[in-house]
Short mmCIF file of all heavy atoms in Angstrom, two decimals:
data_model
loop_
_atom_site.label_atom_id
_atom_site.label_comp_id
_atom_site.label_asym_id
_atom_site.label_seq_id
_atom_site.Cartn_x
_atom_site.Cartn_y
_atom_site.Cartn_z
N THR A 317 89.66 166.02 206.22
CA THR A 317 90.95 165.31 206.51
C THR A 317 92.07 165.87 205.83
O THR A 317 93.17 165.65 206.09
CB THR A 317 90.91 163.80 206.13
OG1 THR A 317 90.46 163.66 204.74
CG2 THR A 317 89.91 163.01 206.99
N TYR A 318 91.82 166.80 204.83
CA TYR A 318 92.99 167.42 204.19
C TYR A 318 92.90 168.95 204.18
O TYR A 318 93.81 169.68 204.51
CB TYR A 318 93.10 166.95 202.66
CG TYR A 318 93.64 165.48 202.58
CD1 TYR A 318 92.64 164.49 202.42
CD2 TYR A 318 94.91 165.34 202.64
CE1 TYR A 318 92.99 163.31 202.22
CE2 TYR A 318 95.37 163.92 202.56
CZ TYR A 318 94.38 162.91 202.37
OH TYR A 318 94.81 161.56 202.27
N GLN A 320 91.15 171.36 205.88
CA GLN A 320 90.36 171.96 206.91
C GLN A 320 90.29 173.38 206.94
O GLN A 320 89.36 174.07 207.37
CB GLN A 320 91.00 171.57 208.34
CG GLN A 320 90.88 170.18 208.63
CD GLN A 320 92.13 169.35 208.33
OE1 GLN A 320 92.99 169.93 207.55
NE2 GLN A 320 92.25 168.10 208.81
N GLU A 321 91.28 174.10 206.30
CA GLU A 321 91.37 175.58 206.05
C GLU A 321 90.15 176.15 205.23
O GLU A 321 89.77 177.29 205.37
CB GLU A 321 92.64 176.05 205.70
CG GLU A 321 93.04 175.55 204.38
CD GLU A 321 93.99 174.20 204.69
OE1 GLU A 321 93.85 173.62 205.69
OE2 GLU A 321 94.72 173.77 203.68
N LEU A 323 87.09 175.34 205.79
CA LEU A 323 85.89 175.42 206.66
C LEU A 323 85.88 176.81 207.37
O LEU A 323 86.94 177.25 207.71
CB LEU A 323 85.76 174.29 207.60
CG LEU A 323 85.67 172.87 207.03
CD1 LEU A 323 85.88 171.93 208.14
CD2 LEU A 323 84.18 172.80 206.58
N THR A 325 85.71 179.00 210.66
CA THR A 325 86.25 178.53 211.90
C THR A 325 85.19 177.91 212.93
O THR A 325 85.37 176.74 213.43
CB THR A 325 86.87 179.70 212.61
OG1 THR A 325 87.75 180.32 211.79
CG2 THR A 325 87.65 179.27 213.89
N GLN A 326 84.07 178.54 212.92
CA GLN A 326 83.03 177.96 213.84
C GLN A 326 82.60 176.59 213.38
O GLN A 326 82.38 175.74 214.08
CB GLN A 326 81.74 178.91 213.74
CG GLN A 326 82.02 180.27 214.42
CD GLN A 326 82.18 180.15 215.89
OE1 GLN A 326 81.89 179.07 216.51
NE2 GLN A 326 82.88 181.10 216.50
N LEU A 328 84.42 174.40 211.70
CA LEU A 328 85.42 173.50 211.96
C LEU A 328 85.37 173.01 213.40
O LEU A 328 85.43 171.90 213.79
CB LEU A 328 86.74 174.23 211.68
CG LEU A 328 88.05 173.51 212.08
CD1 LEU A 328 88.20 172.33 211.17
CD2 LEU A 328 89.28 174.35 212.05
N ILE A 329 85.10 174.06 214.29
CA ILE A 329 85.06 173.68 215.72
C ILE A 329 83.99 172.74 216.02
O ILE A 329 84.12 171.78 216.73
CB ILE A 329 85.13 175.08 216.63
CG1 ILE A 329 86.43 175.79 216.40
CG2 ILE A 329 84.79 174.70 218.01
CD1 ILE A 329 86.47 177.15 216.99
N ARG A 335 83.60 165.10 216.35
CA ARG A 335 84.42 164.03 216.07
C ARG A 335 85.19 163.55 217.30
O ARG A 335 85.84 162.49 217.12
CB ARG A 335 85.39 164.34 214.93
CG ARG A 335 84.90 163.96 213.55
CD ARG A 335 85.93 163.89 212.53
NE ARG A 335 86.92 162.83 212.94
CZ ARG A 335 86.78 161.53 212.50
NH1 ARG A 335 85.79 161.22 211.87
NH2 ARG A 335 87.54 160.54 212.88
N GLU A 336 85.09 164.38 218.33
CA GLU A 336 85.91 163.99 219.60
C GLU A 336 85.39 162.54 219.93
O GLU A 336 84.25 162.27 220.18
CB GLU A 336 85.57 164.90 220.73
CG GLU A 336 86.19 166.31 220.51
CD GLU A 336 87.74 166.40 220.54
OE1 GLU A 336 88.30 165.57 221.28
OE2 GLU A 336 88.16 167.20 219.82
N PRO A 341 88.81 156.93 211.09
CA PRO A 341 89.08 158.03 210.16
C PRO A 341 87.78 158.28 209.48
O PRO A 341 86.97 157.50 209.34
CB PRO A 341 90.07 157.46 209.32
CG PRO A 341 90.60 156.19 209.84
CD PRO A 341 89.66 155.67 210.79
N ALA A 342 87.65 159.64 209.04
CA ALA A 342 86.44 159.99 208.36
C ALA A 342 86.14 159.08 207.26
O ALA A 342 84.94 158.80 206.94
CB ALA A 342 86.54 161.48 207.90
N ALA A 429 92.35 159.45 199.49
CA ALA A 429 93.72 159.29 199.32
C ALA A 429 94.38 160.59 198.84
O ALA A 429 95.50 160.78 199.14
CB ALA A 429 93.91 158.20 198.10
N GLY B 21 99.21 158.53 198.48
CA GLY B 21 98.09 159.15 199.27
C GLY B 21 98.38 159.29 200.70
O GLY B 21 99.23 158.76 201.30
N CYS B 22 97.51 160.07 201.28
CA CYS B 22 97.36 160.14 202.81
C CYS B 22 98.56 160.79 203.50
O CYS B 22 98.60 160.86 204.67
CB CYS B 22 97.25 158.71 203.31
SG CYS B 22 95.97 157.88 202.46
N ASP B 24 99.51 163.76 204.11
CA ASP B 24 99.30 164.96 204.87
C ASP B 24 97.78 164.77 205.44
O ASP B 24 97.17 165.72 205.82
CB ASP B 24 99.50 166.28 204.21
CG ASP B 24 98.60 166.41 203.08
OD1 ASP B 24 97.97 165.39 202.52
OD2 ASP B 24 98.42 167.51 202.51
N ARG B 26 95.09 164.50 208.01
CA ARG B 26 94.80 164.71 209.56
C ARG B 26 93.36 164.60 209.84
O ARG B 26 92.50 165.30 209.14
CB ARG B 26 95.42 166.03 209.87
CG ARG B 26 96.90 166.18 209.83
CD ARG B 26 97.21 167.59 209.87
NE ARG B 26 96.58 168.36 208.73
CZ ARG B 26 97.02 169.54 208.34
NH1 ARG B 26 97.80 170.22 209.00
NH2 ARG B 26 96.44 170.14 207.33
N GLU B 27 92.95 163.85 210.78
CA GLU B 27 91.60 163.79 211.13
C GLU B 27 91.30 165.00 212.00
O GLU B 27 92.25 165.52 212.61
CB GLU B 27 91.15 162.57 211.94
CG GLU B 27 91.37 161.28 211.11
CD GLU B 27 90.37 161.23 209.96
OE1 GLU B 27 89.21 161.80 209.99
OE2 GLU B 27 90.57 160.58 208.92
N ASN B 29 89.93 165.16 214.78
CA ASN B 29 90.21 165.03 216.22
C ASN B 29 91.75 164.85 216.46
O ASN B 29 92.11 164.37 217.50
CB ASN B 29 89.36 164.02 216.86
CG ASN B 29 89.31 162.72 216.04
OD1 ASN B 29 89.89 162.67 215.00
ND2 ASN B 29 88.57 161.79 216.53
N PRO B 55 87.25 171.82 221.47
CA PRO B 55 85.99 171.80 220.68
C PRO B 55 84.79 171.42 221.56
O PRO B 55 83.74 172.09 221.37
CB PRO B 55 86.22 170.82 219.58
CG PRO B 55 87.67 170.74 219.45
CD PRO B 55 88.24 171.03 220.84
N GLN B 61 77.28 170.00 223.36
CA GLN B 61 76.54 168.86 222.91
C GLN B 61 75.78 168.29 224.07
O GLN B 61 75.94 168.84 225.20
CB GLN B 61 77.41 167.84 222.30
CG GLN B 61 77.71 167.96 220.84
CD GLN B 61 78.49 166.85 220.27
OE1 GLN B 61 79.44 166.25 221.01
NE2 GLN B 61 78.25 166.39 219.11
N ARG B 94 98.16 167.12 220.60
CA ARG B 94 98.11 167.19 219.18
C ARG B 94 98.95 168.20 218.62
O ARG B 94 99.37 169.12 219.22
CB ARG B 94 96.54 167.58 218.96
CG ARG B 94 95.55 166.66 219.55
CD ARG B 94 94.13 167.09 219.44
NE ARG B 94 93.27 166.25 220.04
CZ ARG B 94 91.94 166.36 220.10
NH1 ARG B 94 91.48 167.52 219.64
NH2 ARG B 94 91.19 165.51 220.63
N TYR B 97 97.51 173.27 214.79
CA TYR B 97 97.01 173.61 213.49
C TYR B 97 96.71 175.05 213.42
O TYR B 97 95.77 175.56 214.10
CB TYR B 97 95.84 172.71 213.29
CG TYR B 97 95.04 173.00 212.01
CD1 TYR B 97 95.63 172.67 210.82
CD2 TYR B 97 93.79 173.55 211.99
CE1 TYR B 97 95.11 172.83 209.60
CE2 TYR B 97 93.21 173.69 210.80
CZ TYR B 97 93.76 173.35 209.61
OH TYR B 97 93.11 173.59 208.36
N HIS B 100 93.59 178.30 211.01
CA HIS B 100 92.47 179.19 211.47
C HIS B 100 92.78 180.28 212.38
O HIS B 100 92.00 180.69 213.17
CB HIS B 100 91.33 178.22 211.98
CG HIS B 100 90.62 177.52 210.96
ND1 HIS B 100 89.38 178.12 210.52
CD2 HIS B 100 90.74 176.39 210.17
CE1 HIS B 100 88.93 177.24 209.53
NE2 HIS B 100 89.76 176.34 209.38
N ARG B 129 97.36 181.89 207.50
CA ARG B 129 96.74 182.77 206.58
C ARG B 129 97.27 184.14 206.80
O ARG B 129 97.58 184.49 207.98
CB ARG B 129 95.25 182.82 206.84
CG ARG B 129 94.56 181.67 207.25
CD ARG B 129 93.02 181.90 207.27
NE ARG B 129 92.52 180.68 206.88
CZ ARG B 129 91.24 180.53 206.60
NH1 ARG B 129 90.45 181.52 206.65
NH2 ARG B 129 90.75 179.37 206.35
N ILE B 155 85.27 181.77 222.56
CA ILE B 155 86.74 181.86 222.26
C ILE B 155 87.18 183.22 222.34
O ILE B 155 86.82 184.03 221.55
CB ILE B 155 86.84 181.26 220.86
CG1 ILE B 155 86.23 179.85 220.94
CG2 ILE B 155 88.34 181.18 220.54
CD1 ILE B 155 86.08 179.29 219.51
N ASN B 158 88.12 184.83 219.07
CA ASN B 158 87.02 185.21 218.30
C ASN B 158 86.36 186.53 218.83
O ASN B 158 85.93 187.41 218.01
CB ASN B 158 85.91 184.15 218.46
CG ASN B 158 85.91 183.26 217.17
OD1 ASN B 158 86.63 183.54 216.24
ND2 ASN B 158 84.88 182.38 217.11
#
Side-chain angles (χ1 to χ4, degrees):
Chain A
T317 54
Y318 289 95
Q320 292 97 346
E321 53 271 19
L323 292 168
T325 308
Q326 289 296 336
L328 174 72
I329 291 169
R335 271 201 62 87
E336 290 295 325
Chain B
C22 314
D24 61 347
R26 290 163 302 191
E27 294 295 332
N29 46 2
Q61 278 182 319
R94 302 174 181 180
Y97 175 69
H100 278 266
R129 320 187 151 194
I155 304 168
N158 255 3

